[in-house]
């Protein structure tokens, strides 16, 4: 339990009251605000304000009530494709393939839940919300049985992959319905013996036997997937085990649809969700200064930890802004030959997608992994990669003035120093936000954690990418951390360019002990 002790600058209480108190506050139109100050860094870990507002934050709830709509039974979502507003995804043929999981799958989901409509399109304003919303939902078997150890499938020198079970038995039509609720569609998929990874029109979906991770950007309505997920889990004889929802503060909060008008609205929606509340008690938290980039987190945990590998999970996310213009130019579709002689449209898409991957050096960030890249027209890029039990995902919006790139992985590394430096060196952003969510066991395994180093040693120095540019030194401007739900440690920090260096200056700074690889 002391694994996060060094991270805590102060004792932090949950930033929202109990569910009953929250709903009562809304009913009575009372204003409540809870604020926690990091006494060492001066950073406010700002929780929820009810019926209030903040100039530089989207934590207030001033969105109008959502319209009501009646939804029919499950339908295929391919007729309502919601691609990046700035790009037109060229949909691959496998978006309508029959899922290999259809065998032994449960009956298709056909019951309506949560008819609060968030599917009304907002007119595109020329601004795109790059940073993703992330929803992670874990289940466990109702019979109490744990997932079988893979060693049970070994026979002499032959290793048999574990059988697909749980959520991986869902039909493609069920996954389509989940995505429809979030206002996105499946474009392509890759699989290995541990998980299935789907590139979406608005980011990514990862399906394990008993865990599902969905990341969506833009004006998607991610939380509206939750009712469907819970019901589908019930039909698979699974019960809810862990729910995590997180996102960075919105750059354009007024563009969002219900229930994402504000973090307050999102929490009210979660707390009003009967099936969630019956299973788990969760809390919402805000990490970081509300006058700068900050991170919203909701966690509801009822995990029964009876296996060691359940106690060392972690997810690293790097959100980069205003990255190098030469790198951004690599993700414009017209830069590449559209169609070669004898090439089908689908083959051209795959070729251009991999050309972008290699030109930017993204393939080197995930050595040995199976890739599924997707280039968008006129610009934009998404990528999933899987390696054993781990996933990597990248999403890139290259427009000048609002460029954004994200990199996320749940790979369990003893040190993330090399990976972080390689990602930052690849894109050379003007600033970036980094988050880490880890169980205590996973946190203890990490060496050289940039979130806990002193200010001098938390700096990140990256060498010149070529002879035409200089080395960069990034300083950490603030940091916040909290331990929630017994053993889930959440950390976030903001980094910005301190100065640029020539080769000689860079080597001098490197010898002073700055992070480098």
């Amino acid at each position: 339990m002391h694994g996060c002790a060094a991270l805590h600058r102060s004792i932090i209480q949950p930033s929202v009251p109990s569910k009953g108190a929250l709903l009562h506050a809304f009913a009575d139109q009372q204003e409540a605000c809870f604020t926690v100050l990091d006494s060492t860094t001066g950073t406010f870990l700002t929780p929820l304000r009810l019926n209030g507002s903040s100039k530089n934050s989207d934590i207030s709830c001033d969105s109008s009530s959502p319209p009501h709509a009646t939804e029919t039974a499950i339908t295929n979502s391919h007729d309502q494709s919601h691609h990046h507003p700035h790009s037109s995804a060229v949909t691959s043929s496998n978006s309508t393939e029959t899922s290999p999981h259809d065998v032994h799958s449960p009956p298709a989901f056909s019951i309506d839940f949560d008819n609060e409509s968030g599917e009304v399109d907002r007119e595109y304003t020329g601004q795109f919300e790059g940073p993703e919303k992330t929803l992670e939902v874990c289940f466990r078997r109702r019979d109490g049985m744990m997932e079988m150890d893979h060693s049970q499938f070994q026979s002499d020198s032959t290793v048999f992959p574990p059988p697909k079970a749980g959520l991986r038995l869902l039909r493609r039509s069920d996954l389509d319905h989940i995505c429809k609720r979030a206002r996105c569609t499946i474009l392509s998929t890759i699989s290995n013996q541990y998980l299935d990874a789907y590139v979406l029109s608005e980011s990514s979906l990862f399906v394990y036997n008993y865990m599902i991770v969905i990341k969506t950007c833009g004006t998607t309505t991610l939380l509206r997937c939750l009712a469907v997920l819970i019901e589908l889990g019930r039909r698979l004889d699974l019960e809810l085990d862990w729910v995590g929802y997180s996102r960075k503060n919105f750059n354009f909060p007024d563009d969002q649809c219900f229930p994402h008008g504000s973090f307050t609205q999102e929490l009210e929606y979660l707390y009003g969700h009967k099936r969630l509340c019956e299973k788990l008690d969760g809390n919402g938290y805000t990490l970081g200064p509300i006058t700068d980039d900050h991170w919203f987190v909701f966690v509801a945990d009822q995990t029964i930890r009876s296996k060691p590998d359940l106690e060392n999970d972690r997810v690293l996310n790097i959100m980069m802004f205003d990255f190098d213009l030469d790198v951004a130019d690599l993700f414009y579709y017209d830069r590449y030959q559209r169609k070669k002689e004898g090439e089908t449209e689908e083959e051209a898409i795959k070729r251009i997608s991999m050309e972008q991957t290699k030109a930017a050096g993204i393939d080197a960030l995930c050595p040995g992994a199976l890739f599924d890249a997707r280039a968008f027209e006129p610009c934009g890029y998404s990528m999933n990669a899987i390696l054993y039990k781990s996933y990597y995902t990248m999403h890139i919006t290259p427009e000048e003035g609002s460029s954004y790139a994200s990199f996320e992985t749940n790979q369990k590394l003893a040190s993330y120093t090399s990976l972080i430096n390689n990602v930052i060196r690849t894109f050379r952003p003007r600033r970036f936000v980094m988050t880490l969510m880890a169980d205590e066991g996973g946190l203890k395994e990490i060496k050289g954690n940039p979130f806990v180093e002193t200010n001098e040693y938390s700096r990140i120095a990256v060498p010149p990418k070529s002879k035409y540019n200089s080395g960069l030194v990034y300083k950490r401007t603030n940091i916040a951390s909290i331990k929630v739900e017994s053993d889930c440690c959440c950390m976030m920090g903001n980094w910005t360019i301190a100065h640029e260096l020539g080769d000689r200056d860079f080597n001098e700074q490197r010898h002073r002990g700055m992070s480098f690889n």
Side-chain angles (χ1 to χ4, degrees):
M1 301 298 287
H2 60 277
C4 291
L7 303 178
H8 299 152
R9 304 289 193 265
S10 58
I11 298 176
I12 305 169
Q13 298 298 326
S15 63
V16 293
S18 66
K19 296 179 290 300
L22 177 65
L23 297 176
H24 177 75
F26 269 94
D28 293 344
Q29 294 294 297
Q30 296 174 344
E31 179 171 332
C33 182
F34 307 85
T35 311
V36 179
L37 174 66
D38 184 321
S39 59
T40 301
T41 66
T43 298
F44 282 100
L45 301 183
T46 306
L48 156 76
R49 177 184 292 277
L50 304 182
N51 194 29
S53 62
S54 176
K55 180 178 180 182
N56 296 299
S57 175
D58 60 356
I59 59 174
S60 64
C61 182
D62 54 7
S63 300
S64 58
S65 299
H68 290 266
T70 301
E71 291 189 345
T72 59
I74 182 169
T75 59
N76 193 304
S77 62
H78 300 300
D79 59 341
Q80 289 189 339
S81 179
H82 298 280
H83 306 307
H84 295 279
H86 60 272
S87 59
S88 174
V90 187
T91 308
S92 66
S93 59
N94 61 3
S95 63
T96 57
E97 288 179 359
T98 301
S99 170
H101 313 155
D102 284 353
V103 180
H104 307 302
S105 6
F109 173 71
S110 61
I111 300 176
D112 293 337
F113 280 102
D114 177 27
N115 285 327
E116 301 288 355
S117 176
E119 296 184 1
V120 178
D121 283 322
R122 300 286 183 90
E123 183 178 351
Y124 179 47
T125 62
Q127 302 167 323
F128 184 73
E129 193 70 59
E132 300 87 356
K133 312 173 185 82
T134 301
L135 178 65
E136 179 179 329
V137 184
C138 300
F139 293 85
R140 63 172 174 258
R141 291 169 51 162
R142 288 185 181 275
D143 59 14
M145 297 291 291
M146 301 297 295
E147 188 172 5
M148 287 183 285
D149 193 297
H150 300 153
S151 62
Q152 297 183 34
F153 301 95
Q154 296 181 11
S155 175
D156 298 326
S157 59
T158 304
V159 179
F160 299 96
K164 290 184 178 181
L167 299 170
R168 295 186 74 189
L169 297 180
L170 290 173
R171 297 185 181 197
R172 172 59 185 267
S173 57
D174 292 327
L175 297 177
D176 286 336
H177 189 49
I178 291 169
C179 292
K180 180 184 177 183
R181 298 288 295 215
R183 302 173 71 246
C184 59
T185 57
I186 294 173
L187 300 181
S188 59
T189 180
I190 53 175
S191 298
N192 65 14
Q193 63 266 45
Y194 300 103
L195 74 150
D196 307 310
Y198 300 83
V199 172
L200 306 180
S201 58
E202 306 280 351
S203 295
S204 296
L205 163 67
F206 302 96
V207 182
Y208 292 79
N209 281 352
Y210 300 104
M211 179 177 76
I212 190 166
V213 179
I214 314 176
K215 295 178 66 69
T216 62
C217 56
T219 57
T220 50
T221 52
L222 179 57
L223 286 179
R224 298 188 69 246
C225 299
L226 195 54
V228 180
L229 286 171
I230 293 172
E231 176 61 17
L232 290 173
R234 184 189 67 79
R235 290 171 176 244
L236 290 167
D237 206 26
L238 304 175
E239 60 182 357
L240 208 57
D241 193 43
W242 196 93
V243 174
Y245 171 73
S246 62
R247 65 171 175 86
K248 195 186 83 68
N249 58 298
F250 292 132
N251 295 314
F252 313 108
D254 292 341
D255 293 343
Q256 296 296 316
C257 300
F258 176 83
H260 298 284
S262 68
F263 190 48
T264 301
Q265 188 180 80
E266 291 167 330
L267 291 176
E268 184 186 30
Y269 179 83
L270 286 165
Y271 290 155
H273 203 302
K274 293 181 179 179
R275 283 176 175 75
L276 176 65
C277 292
E278 289 173 358
K279 290 291 183 182
L280 305 170
D281 282 323
N283 289 294
Y285 307 85
T286 304
L287 283 80
I290 61 172
T291 54
D292 201 345
D293 292 319
H294 48 281
W295 189 35
F296 295 114
V297 178
F298 171 86
V299 174
D301 186 0
Q302 196 173 308
T303 301
I304 300 174
R305 291 171 175 80
S306 57
K307 291 181 64 178
D309 62 350
L310 293 177
E311 299 182 353
N312 58 1
D313 291 334
R314 57 263 203 183
V315 177
L316 176 74
N317 187 17
I318 306 173
M319 296 169 275
M320 299 166 282
F321 302 86
D322 300 325
F323 57 86
D324 188 272
L325 293 177
D326 292 335
V327 177
D329 187 55
L330 299 175
F331 299 100
Y332 281 83
Y333 204 87
D334 285 341
R335 175 186 173 94
Y336 304 86
Q337 183 178 347
R338 280 185 168 266
K339 195 172 181 181
K340 296 182 178 180
E341 185 176 353
E343 195 175 46
T344 66
E345 184 177 1
E346 176 63 20
E347 289 170 343
I349 296 169
K350 291 182 178 180
R351 172 181 53 80
I352 293 174
S353 300
M354 285 311 299
E355 286 178 357
Q356 291 185 359
T357 302
K358 293 181 180 296
I362 293 173
D363 56 325
L365 299 176
C366 317
L370 175 64
F371 275 79
D372 184 13
R374 171 66 48 167
F376 292 86
E377 288 190 80
C379 63
Y381 173 91
S382 289
M383 180 278 292
N384 289 338
I386 54 178
L387 181 65
Y388 300 107
K389 297 180 181 180
S390 302
Y391 70 78
Y392 310 81
T393 184
M394 288 206 71
H395 302 284
I396 298 168
T397 303
E399 290 94 333
E400 184 176 358
S402 60
S403 62
Y404 169 79
S406 66
F407 176 91
E408 178 175 300
T409 183
N410 65 346
Q411 186 180 22
K412 298 176 182 179
L413 298 176
S415 173
Y416 290 93
T417 300
S418 295
L419 179 60
I420 292 169
N421 279 281
N422 289 336
V423 171
I424 299 303
R425 184 187 183 188
T426 297
F427 289 89
R428 299 171 61 81
R430 303 303 299 178
R431 64 184 177 90
F432 64 92
V433 179
M434 190 156 54
T435 66
L436 178 67
M437 185 177 288
D439 289 341
E440 280 191 304
L443 195 64
K444 291 175 183 178
E445 293 179 358
I446 300 174
K447 306 296 188 294
N449 190 333
F451 294 95
V452 300
E453 299 288 355
T454 60
N455 190 55
E456 177 65 23
Y457 287 90
S458 69
R459 293 193 175 194
I460 295 175
V462 296
K465 191 173 182 179
S466 71
K467 63 181 180 180
Y468 301 107
N469 50 40
S470 58
L472 297 175
V473 176
Y474 295 86
K475 66 177 181 179
R476 191 182 65 199
T477 56
N478 53 67
I479 184 175
S481 63
I482 187 173
K483 186 172 76 171
V484 303
E485 303 296 321
S486 299
D487 71 342
C488 179
C489 301
C490 303
M491 289 157 278
M492 72 85 62
N494 295 318
W495 277 260
T496 187
I497 290 179
H499 49 274
E500 299 185 7
L501 301 170
D503 288 340
R504 182 174 180 179
D505 293 332
F506 176 82
N507 288 328
E508 290 178 358
Q509 291 288 347
R510 176 186 176 187
H511 290 310
R512 293 178 185 174
M514 303 172 71
S515 174
F516 167 76
N517 191 305

